[in-house]
Amino acid sequence: MSFEIIAATEKDCGEILRFINELAEYEKMSDEVVATEELLREWIFEKQKAEVIFAVEDGRKVGFALYFHNFSTFLGRAGIYLEDLYVMPEFRGKGYGKALLKELARIALNRGCGRLEWACLDWNKPSIDFYLSLGAKPMDIWTTYRLTGETLVKMAE
Amino acid sequence: MSFEIIAATEKDCGEILRFINELAEYEKMSDEVVATEELLREWIFEKQKAEVIFAVEDGRKVGFALYFHNFSTFLGRAGIYLEDLYVMPEFRGKGYGKALLKELARIALNRGCGRLEWACLDWNKPSIDFYLSLGAKPMDIWTTYRLTGETLVKMAE
């Protein structure tokens, strides 16, 4: 059995969308997904607003991580923010999630970034336990606020 | 009295650092600030990992917003993430914070972004009340996890 991590290219948008939908289903948020292959092609590969790596077992893509650069004003430098991390259920427990995270930690250090961050749903105890075991620190004194759709349009007026 | 919003340029790094330090003091996190003018020049203006706008009253910079692009896999497109929003205490209550947020909402819509997001400390009730009054939705089922320093290096090994 072989395992490797590879960077996604423009021809992978269908696979990326499949993983996004599978993760949304696990998160019980499928009704929020409006992404399409076309949008992913435009925003990831043309406008370069995110990057994607795949976990590949014996030539088959079994998981992915989508990430982008965030920025810490305290550190005065960029970080890496992991937006989605997903491994197909039948391939879990083999270390692929951790391998994807390790690769992101390497990318962060290679680029001189100061942090690797991501968000986790508060009910997702298996993932939280996994993250804590890696030494990740919960930033639980902060809450994220969001304007979207009508409230965003109203704010711009 | 005149008021305008302008984009920061490379010569503004000293002013940006001053605002970062003043905001950190308000957040009781001054000991976490290791940013320098040099780092800000490198990461904001050379590597272009963030952007900054100023609130300017009668030619004087009285507040700032530092932001970058994040990415929503559900929307399939980028958003705007506001990392720091700050108005000097003696210039508060004049609508400058809201003016900075409105400008970011306009930038988000102009660029085709789907969201405007930011984090707020849970004890900062005046800010939370302000954000809720704008229609912002707290994403309080999520917690951010962070690897930094030694835990990030260990993860990369």
Side-chain angles (χ1 to χ4, degrees):
Chain A
M1 197 206 71
S2 76
F3 173 72
E4 60 181 336
I5 291 189
I6 60 169
T9 64
E10 196 163 338
K11 64 175 177 27
D12 297 316
C13 289
E15 207 97 63
I16 295 170
L17 184 60
R18 176 171 70 82
F19 284 141
I20 290 171
N21 277 313
E22 288 182 23
L23 176 56
E25 197 169 328
Y26 175 72
E27 293 178 329
K28 305 178 178 64
M29 292 179 166
S30 290
D31 55 324
E32 293 186 34
V33 180
V34 298
T36 63
E37 282 188 47
E38 264 320 299
L39 281 170
L40 296 176
R41 189 166 294 114
E42 176 187 345
W43 286 92
I44 298 176
F45 296 102
E46 285 167 32
K47 296 181 176 169
Q48 303 190 0
K49 297 303 183 201
E51 299 172 72
V52 175
I53 51 175
F54 290 116
V56 181
E57 181 184 290
D58 291 336
R60 179 176 176 191
K61 297 184 184 79
V62 300
F64 88 128
L66 184 143
Y67 61 102
F68 54 80
H69 281 287
N70 61 4
F71 191 91
S72 162
T73 47
F74 289 180
L75 299 183
R77 60 178 69 224
I80 288 204
Y81 189 89
L82 168 61
E83 177 69 19
D84 274 8
L85 177 70
Y86 177 75
V87 175
M88 292 166 68
E90 59 269 43
F91 293 92
R92 288 182 197 162
K94 301 172 114 179
Y96 296 164
K98 188 167 183 176
L100 286 163
L101 272 171
K102 283 184 101 61
E103 179 67 16
L104 293 182
R106 276 181 220 114
I107 292 169
L109 292 179
N110 284 341
R111 295 183 187 179
C113 296
R115 295 171 175 170
L116 172 59
E117 295 173 304
W118 62 91
C120 184
L121 283 160
D122 290 338
W123 54 254
N124 190 353
K125 191 164 167 7
S127 292
I128 291 169
D129 289 344
F130 171 56
Y131 297 146
L132 294 177
S133 77
L134 304 175
K137 194 176 154 192
M139 310 305 294
D140 45 17
I141 56 172
W142 296 88
T143 296
T144 297
Y145 290 79
R146 177 184 294 170
L147 290 173
T148 188
E150 282 308 302
T151 57
L152 181 60
V153 172
K154 191 150 174 280
M155 192 67 199
E157 278 165 6
Chain B
M1 198 203 72
S2 77
F3 173 73
E4 59 181 337
I5 291 187
I6 61 168
T9 64
E10 197 163 337
K11 64 173 175 31
D12 297 316
C13 289
E15 206 97 65
I16 295 169
L17 184 60
R18 176 171 69 85
F19 283 142
I20 289 171
N21 278 314
E22 289 183 22
L23 177 56
E25 197 169 327
Y26 175 72
E27 292 177 329
K28 304 177 178 64
M29 293 180 165
S30 290
D31 56 323
E32 292 187 35
V33 179
V34 297
T36 62
E37 281 188 47
E38 265 320 298
L39 280 170
L40 296 176
R41 188 166 294 116
E42 175 187 347
W43 286 91
I44 299 176
F45 296 101
E46 285 167 31
K47 296 182 176 167
Q48 302 190 0
K49 297 304 183 199
E51 298 172 72
V52 175
I53 52 175
F54 290 116
V56 181
E57 182 184 289
D58 290 336
R60 179 176 175 188
K61 298 183 183 83
V62 300
F64 88 128
L66 183 144
Y67 62 101
F68 54 81
H69 281 287
N70 61 5
F71 191 91
S72 163
T73 47
F74 289 180
L75 300 182
R77 61 178 67 223
I80 287 202
Y81 188 90
L82 168 61
E83 177 70 18
D84 274 7
L85 177 70
Y86 177 74
V87 175
M88 292 165 69
E90 60 268 43
F91 293 93
R92 286 180 198 163
K94 301 171 115 180
Y96 296 162
K98 189 167 183 177
L100 286 164
L101 272 170
K102 284 183 101 61
E103 180 66 16
L104 293 182
R106 277 181 219 116
I107 292 170
L109 292 178
N110 284 341
R111 296 183 187 178
C113 296
R115 295 171 176 169
L116 172 58
E117 295 173 303
W118 62 91
C120 185
L121 283 161
D122 290 339
W123 55 254
N124 190 351
K125 191 163 166 11
S127 293
I128 292 170
D129 289 344
F130 171 57
Y131 297 146
L132 294 176
S133 78
L134 304 174
K137 194 176 153 192
M139 311 305 294
D140 45 16
I141 55 173
W142 297 89
T143 296
T144 298
Y145 290 80
R146 175 184 296 171
L147 290 173
T148 189
E150 282 309 302
T151 57
L152 181 59
V153 171
K154 190 151 176 278
M155 194 66 199
E157 279 164 6

